[in-house]
């Protein structure tokens, strides 16, 4: 709150100075003033006021006048838009100092009190439609802690954008096509055959988590040994669909328990079946940004500043993952969104330029896509790294984490660091009820404040409301 009020005052003083600069006679071109950075700082010595600016000293050389004279000129007819500057003066060698009436802070506190949860809300977004795609983890297993950081970042970002007036939609892209889901289905099928008593082994590339065994057991409970004599290729769609349906349902339930609700789950398979990939590649071809080489179809992304051209169609005539991404993002824009925001893992950083290039080749605005890259989470337990892997089965699930530390603590930890910095998530610390745990520290502070309010009510104060003259009781800075 203190930083917010300080920023508001700095901006107010800065605008007032800018207005005064327009009235100072000068031989300097007006664009010089327009590009001038006006610094407002807090003096080290409180006797010099609450805020200070050295703008006059920056202007001395171009205006060919003494800094002190310029400072005095700026203060002539200086207008205080908020009416809380009680003292302003120019001092040698050319500083301009401002002292603020403490009533300003109390006035703002009363304003904040009445605004309640709407404090800070705005219409900056002007109801522009923004689609935020995040999580989008492969549906080949339950969500583990490694995917949780992007989930929280995306959800918090959506809430912030909604708060400032954007029309936000949240979307999860389901990668339900390709080799990964084929391996998932085969993994469940193999476990199912073992459940039926077949002498068969799990392959190294199969998913080996307990959840695969659970899926196979559930399938057996429904169908018994009905599929035990088939080869996987004959009934692959049965096992793939069964596994995907159950895992996607589990993913949705996990996200809901994390207070993350998506507006839409978009299937990659639907994009492919609708023919959108070929439609968009045909448009790029008409714009002369596709060419054939070595039996493959290439996108000329170097024409848009990418470091090399990219394959969109393999020599088998199957589209690449990049081609699917092009079609999906174009489909987003065709649904009427003004801006696209993706929250991706840092390992996808090389994708940004090529994807922006493809959208430009399709005729969409160059700045329509913005990608937030989230660095990895390094889990620690007992001070040692915990490795994650769906195929190895070494998973710490989000749902298990929430049972241990709760969703509020988990969400707090995942947004404690900037997204471009790697995060060490100490599982033991997150559960600790000590001041070393930042979540516990915040919760302790909240509990203390709640106790103050409770005791105030016990003493007859039914509503804690700022009243005229209450600043007399608050004498400490």
């Amino acid at each position: 709150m203190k930083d917010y009020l300080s920023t508001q005052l700095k901006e107010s003083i800065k605008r007032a100075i800018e207005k005064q600069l327009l009235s100072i006679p000068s031989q300097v071109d007006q664009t010089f003033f327009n590009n001038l950075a006006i610094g407002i700082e807090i003096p080290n010595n409180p006797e010099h006021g609450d805020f200070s600016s050295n703008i006059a000293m920056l202007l001395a050389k171009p205006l060919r006048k003494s800094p002190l004279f310029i400072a005095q000129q700026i203060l002539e007819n200086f207008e205080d838009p908020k009416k809380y500057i009680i003292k302003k003066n120019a001092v040698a060698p050319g500083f301009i100092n401002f002292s603020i009436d403490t009533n300003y802070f109390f006035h703002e506190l009363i304003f904040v009190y009445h605004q309640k949860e709407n404090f800070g809300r705005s219409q900056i977004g002007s109801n522009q439609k923004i689609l935020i795609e995040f999580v989008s983890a492969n549906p080949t297993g339950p969500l583990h802690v490694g995917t949780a950081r992007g989930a929280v970042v995306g959800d918090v970002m959506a809430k912030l954008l909604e708060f400032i007036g954007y029309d936000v939609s949240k979307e999860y892209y389901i990668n339900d096509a390709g080799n990964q889901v084929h391996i998932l289905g085969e993994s469940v099928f193999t476990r199912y055959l073992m459940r039926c008593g077949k002498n068969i082994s799990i392959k190294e590339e199969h998913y080996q988590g307990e959840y695969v065994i659970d899926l196979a057991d559930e399938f057996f409970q429904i169908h018994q040994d009905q599929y035990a004599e088939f080869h996987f290729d004959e009934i692959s769609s049965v096992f793939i669909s069964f596994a995907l349906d159950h895992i996607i349902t589990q993913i949705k339930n996990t996200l809901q328990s994390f207070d993350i609700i998506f507006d839409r789950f978009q299937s990659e398979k639907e994009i492919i079946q609708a023919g959108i990939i070929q439609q968009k590649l045909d448009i790029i071809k008409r714009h002369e940004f596709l060419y054939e080489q070595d039996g493959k179809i290439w996108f000329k992304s170097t024409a848009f500043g990418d470091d090399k051209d990219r394959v969109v169609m393999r020599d088998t005539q199957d589209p690449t993952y990049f081609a699917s991404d092009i079609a999906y993002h174009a489909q987003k824009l065709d649904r009427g969104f003004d801006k696209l925001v993706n929250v991706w893992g840092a390992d996808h950083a090389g994708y940004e330029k090529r994807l922006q290039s493809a959208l430009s080749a399709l005729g969409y605005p160059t700045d329509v896509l913005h990608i937030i890259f989230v660095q990895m989470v390094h889990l620690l337990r007992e001070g040692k790294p915990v490795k994650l892997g769906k195929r190895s089965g070494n998973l710490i699930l989000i749902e298990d984490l929430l049972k241990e530390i709760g969703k509020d603590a988990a969400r707090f930890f995942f947004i404690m660091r900037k997204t471009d910095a790697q995060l060490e998530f100490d599982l033991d610390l997150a559960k600790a009820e000590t001041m070393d745990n930042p979540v516990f520290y915040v919760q302790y502070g909240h509990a203390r404040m709640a106790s103050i309010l409770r005791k105030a009510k016990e003493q007859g104060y039914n509503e804690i409301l700022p009243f005229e003259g209450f600043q007399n009781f608050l004498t400490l800075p």
Side-chain angles (χ1 to χ4, degrees), residues 173 175 177-179 268-282 284 290 295-299 310-328 351:
Y173 185 47
N175 301 106
N179 191 49
E268 178 188 9
K269 191 174 181 180
E270 289 178 3
I271 299 284
I272 295 172
Q273 292 176 342
I276 299 175
I277 294 177
Q278 193 57 55
Q279 292 172 17
K280 299 307 175 183
L281 291 183
D282 287 344
I284 296 176
L290 288 188
K296 304 172 185 177
I297 305 299
W298 297 73
F299 168 54
R310 310 289 176 174
V311 177
V312 291
M313 199 70 72
R314 300 182 180 93
D315 50 14
T316 59
Q317 299 307 300
D318 294 317
T320 61
Y321 289 119
F322 178 45
S324 295
D325 283 336
I326 294 172
Y328 173 45
Y351 252 69

Side-chain angles (χ1 to χ4, degrees), residues 141 154 165 169 187 201 210 223 230 238 256 316 407 428 435 437 461:
S169 294
S187 303
S201 300
E210 286 292 326
H223 301 286
F230 286 89
V238 175
Q256 188 170 356
T316 59
K407 68 175 184 295
D428 299 313
M435 290 302 181
N437 180 354
Y461 296 98

Side-chain angles (χ1 to χ4, degrees), residues 405 408-410 412-413 416 428-448:
I405 66 174
D408 293 336
F412 188 103
F413 261 77
M416 280 200 310
D428 299 313
L429 177 62
K431 293 184 291 182
E433 295 186 358
T434 68
M435 290 302 181
D436 292 331
N437 180 354
V439 180
F440 181 80
Y441 192 83
V442 171
Q443 291 172 335
Y444 178 78
H446 177 269
R448 290 292 302 271

Side-chain angles (χ1 to χ4, degrees), residues 1-9 104-116 119-120:
M1 186 64 193
K2 178 182 178 182
D3 289 341
Y4 166 78
L5 294 176
S6 179
T7 299
Q8 294 294 305
L9 283 168
Y104 166 78
F105 300 99
F106 296 112
H107 171 81
E108 291 298 313
L109 285 174
I110 293 171
F111 172 76
V112 171
Y113 176 85
H114 288 296
Q115 288 286 298
K116 298 188 184 302
F119 175 66

